[in-house]
Amino acid sequence: MGAPFDITFVFSFLPKLLGTLGTTLLIVACSLLTGIVVGFLVALPRLYKIPVLKTCAEIYISFFRGTPILIQLFLFYYGLPEIMKLVHVDLTRTPVLVFVILTYGLHTGAYMSEMIRASVMAVDKGQVEAAYATGMTGFQAFTRIVLPQALGIAVPVFSNLVIALLKDTSLAFTLGVMEMSGKAQTLGSLTQHFIETYIALALIYLVISFTIEKLLLVAEHHLLRHEKRNTPEKKLFKINKSWSYRRIIAELGPGKGGTGL
Amino acid sequence: MKLDPSFIWTALVQILSAIPTTLYITVVSVLIGFVIGVAVALIRLYRVPLLHPLAVGYVTFIRGTPMLTHLLLIYFGLPVLIDGLAVHFGWSFRSVSIPMIGFAYISFSITAGAYMSEVVRSGLLAVDRGQLEAAHSIGMTTPQALKRIVFPQALAASLPNLSNSVIGMLHGSTLAFTVSVVDINAKAQIVASTNWKFFEAYLAAALIFWALTFLIERVTSLIEKRINLYNRGGVA
């Protein structure tokens, strides 16, 4: 299968793949923004228990978490133009990238809303009551007391979501978007050096996800600097039970299940 | 192209035949992945020299790269490796005899292994070390204590993550179409392109996946209730 293995190709492919890194990061950034906005809009009806909207939000989350992202990509790419045709909007000339970003945005939005909900709920309700007692309004209590704490709690989940999103973008090639995986496939079939291309591709993904993880870890330490941290891994079979927000987060399960492809 | 709601049902019926393939891929990768995961988790917990950095590297690499690249690396890399070894040692076995689904099994198991190891590790860490010591104090050996005391509790603690992983692998199995395995996604593609009704076919596929995911979630919550019986709290 293909040409014989030659490690030098890995290095010559790296710069070529890096040329399309921009597209990958563009997809990640745009869908992340969409996802956060959608996530907030969806989390609010569930947090404040608004009757009809709450059910709609639950169905939305269940659908986007219950179906594979690949199917969602196809569904939006083929389905949206047809549905919009019914209301006489022509989407046939819309660039593919728009569909890709929209799908990833809505997909991430479902996970984001769970993350937001879980981290807001992890903040003790007594804190809000204390804030009211000192005369703060609801908005003040949220922005000054709940939000700063929720942010710190949300960071680890957020980091996982960003990395999952980054890896999910490797599927955009199925719709013909020239991001890194698409470029890798083209390079592979042009030169017949498939293994080398995919090693180079894997290396780039590894470096990016490693960087994202480290950056967000720094952010987490900064946001949680008022809390005492411990490292349960240091001791075998032991976890500190008093550190409960992680347990709550785990029970609500906002993280992206398993692989993130 | 005109929207044809009745075709969703037709497509649904046709796609149903591909469910076993998807389930096979999921079950095989989860089972093998779990075995790999337990091994890797124990290596990391007990800091086995030599193997420990290897295990850390494996988990980091797999979790840092997309599942698609694992699949393609295995698909293109494994035949070269096997054929090279076969020529070197004079085996009659050649990579051509590996069925396409074999590549999916191997690659997805490796992927699942890394994620499972994290699930198993966090599950084991959730069990208090004092429990192990208590078991030792009444004369159990370490394997007995692990089997009777630690593992059941660890399983209960890691069940939500486990179910998430299974769902993740179920969704990940849609990638198998890149190595020409006809799973639900590939079947939907075939149905879509032969009838030129893409939206309806993918909607049907989405509905099937949604139902499967829902089923897994229900079953897990039932098991969770059963397994956490001891944990009710209160008196008696």
Side-chain angles (χ1 to χ4, degrees):
Chain A
M1 206 174 289
F5 185 78
D6 186 353
I7 191 80
T8 55
F9 274 95
V10 175
F11 302 108
S12 67
F13 284 151
L14 275 177
K16 286 179 186 165
L17 289 177
L18 280 175
T20 50
L21 179 63
T23 318
T24 299
L25 291 183
L26 178 77
I27 301 175
V28 173
C30 291
S31 357
L32 213 54
L33 281 179
T34 323
I36 292 174
V37 174
V38 173
F40 251 111
L41 290 180
V42 175
L44 288 177
R46 297 192 73 189
L47 280 170
Y48 289 103
K49 300 198 171 62
I50 303 167
V52 182
L53 287 178
K54 181 170 160 273
T55 321
C56 292
E58 273 164 9
I59 293 173
Y60 160 79
I61 292 168
S62 163
F63 178 77
F64 278 94
R65 287 173 46 127
T67 55
I69 178 84
L70 193 59
I71 301 273
Q72 288 165 19
L73 270 177
F74 287 127
L75 207 55
F76 272 82
Y77 181 62
Y78 292 114
L80 211 55
E82 289 193 43
I83 290 179
M84 292 317 266
K85 229 184 270 174
L86 296 178
V87 290
H88 302 290
V89 179
D90 188 23
L91 285 183
T92 38
R93 288 186 174 276
T94 319
V96 188
L97 207 57
V98 174
F99 291 106
V100 171
I101 290 173
L102 189 68
T103 316
Y104 284 123
L106 289 176
H107 181 81
T108 321
Y111 289 93
M112 285 288 175
S113 82
E114 289 285 271
M115 174 193 88
I116 292 166
R117 196 172 69 100
S119 32
V120 169
M121 280 168 71
V123 178
D124 195 341
K125 200 160 185 235
Q127 306 226 1
V128 184
E129 282 160 6
Y132 286 150
T134 58
M136 285 191 196
T137 62
F139 181 74
Q140 280 175 332
F142 184 75
T143 50
R144 295 189 193 167
I145 309 292
V146 179
L147 199 62
Q149 295 183 63
L151 272 182
I153 296 171
V155 169
V157 183
F158 183 73
S159 152
N160 279 344
L161 286 181
V162 176
I163 290 168
L165 181 62
L166 170 77
K167 292 188 286 176
D168 279 345
T169 57
S170 66
L171 298 179
F173 84 96
T174 49
L175 300 185
V177 176
M178 254 309 165
E179 39 72 71
M180 281 201 299
S181 299
K183 181 77 179 173
Q185 287 212 322
T186 325
L187 273 180
S189 30
L190 270 178
T191 57
Q192 291 298 308
H193 284 277
F194 286 102
I195 311 171
E196 293 90 332
T197 5
Y198 291 124
I199 291 177
L201 182 66
L203 283 179
I204 297 178
Y205 276 118
L206 193 61
V207 170
I208 303 172
S209 37
F210 199 71
T211 319
I212 293 176
E213 207 182 325
K214 286 287 160 244
L215 281 179
L216 286 171
L217 203 64
V218 174
E220 189 192 344
H221 278 291
H222 182 71
L223 286 166
L224 289 177
R225 62 195 178 283
H226 56 93
E227 305 265 10
K228 241 192 352 213
R229 299 203 52 80
N230 65 355
T231 44
E233 280 91 339
K234 288 273 161 60
K235 294 169 194 159
L236 293 181
F237 301 129
K238 179 143 191 345
I239 198 159
N240 197 331
K241 291 271 165 61
S242 66
W243 222 162
S244 60
Y245 79 76
R246 279 173 193 275
R247 277 181 89 84
I248 296 166
I249 292 262
E251 274 160 26
L252 289 166
K256 199 161 151 78
T259 54
L261 302 186
Chain B
M1 276 200 279
K2 197 95 173 70
L3 225 54
D4 179 6
S6 66
F7 187 73
I8 298 173
W9 178 250
T10 323
L12 197 75
V13 174
Q14 290 188 46
I15 294 171
L16 282 180
S17 67
I19 289 183
T21 317
T22 291
L23 290 184
Y24 276 137
I25 297 177
T26 312
V27 169
V28 168
S29 54
V30 165
L31 284 183
I32 302 180
F34 189 71
V35 175
I36 300 176
V38 170
V40 170
L42 287 178
I43 288 170
R44 290 188 67 183
L45 280 173
Y46 284 106
R47 301 187 175 271
V48 180
L50 275 177
L51 290 177
H52 183 244
L54 275 180
V56 173
Y58 161 71
V59 174
T60 313
F61 179 80
I62 296 293
R63 283 170 44 110
T65 54
M67 205 167 155
L68 184 68
T69 52
H70 313 154
L71 181 63
L72 292 170
L73 268 176
I74 291 287
Y75 180 61
F76 288 110
L78 201 62
V80 175
L81 191 72
I82 290 180
D83 289 343
L85 287 174
V87 169
H88 191 261
F89 291 106
W91 299 336
S92 57
F93 185 77
R94 285 290 183 280
S95 61
V96 187
S97 48
I98 303 178
M100 285 300 180
I101 202 167
F103 291 108
Y105 284 155
I106 295 170
S107 138
F108 292 165
S109 301
I110 293 173
T111 310
Y115 289 94
M116 284 291 175
S117 84
E118 290 291 281
V119 172
V120 174
R121 204 164 68 102
S122 67
L124 287 175
L125 283 171
V127 179
D128 200 324
R129 185 176 170 77
Q131 306 246 352
L132 196 64
E133 283 161 5
H136 282 156
S137 76
I138 57 164
M140 284 192 196
T141 62
T142 304
Q144 275 178 337
L146 284 179
K147 203 178 125 215
R148 296 185 192 169
I149 311 291
V150 177
F151 284 160
Q153 293 186 62
L155 188 66
S158 57
L159 209 59
N161 286 331
L162 208 59
S163 125
N164 260 352
S165 288
V166 174
I167 293 170
M169 289 317 292
L170 175 75
H171 292 178
S173 71
T174 49
L175 292 179
F177 85 100
T178 48
V179 293
S180 342
V181 175
V182 183
D183 70 324
I184 293 177
N185 178 41
K187 186 78 185 172
Q189 254 175 352
I190 294 167
V191 173
S193 44
T194 47
N195 296 282
W196 209 248
K197 283 174 179 143
F198 289 92
F199 180 53
E200 294 85 345
Y202 284 115
L203 201 58
L207 287 178
I208 293 178
F209 272 111
W210 202 359
L212 286 176
T213 309
F214 188 73
L215 207 68
I216 295 176
E217 275 174 354
R218 283 290 107 176
V219 170
T220 328
S221 78
L222 280 182
I223 300 175
E224 210 178 331
K225 259 190 203 137
R226 172 78 190 77
I227 219 166
N228 276 324
L229 267 184
Y230 71 93
N231 213 358
R232 267 177 311 194
V235 197

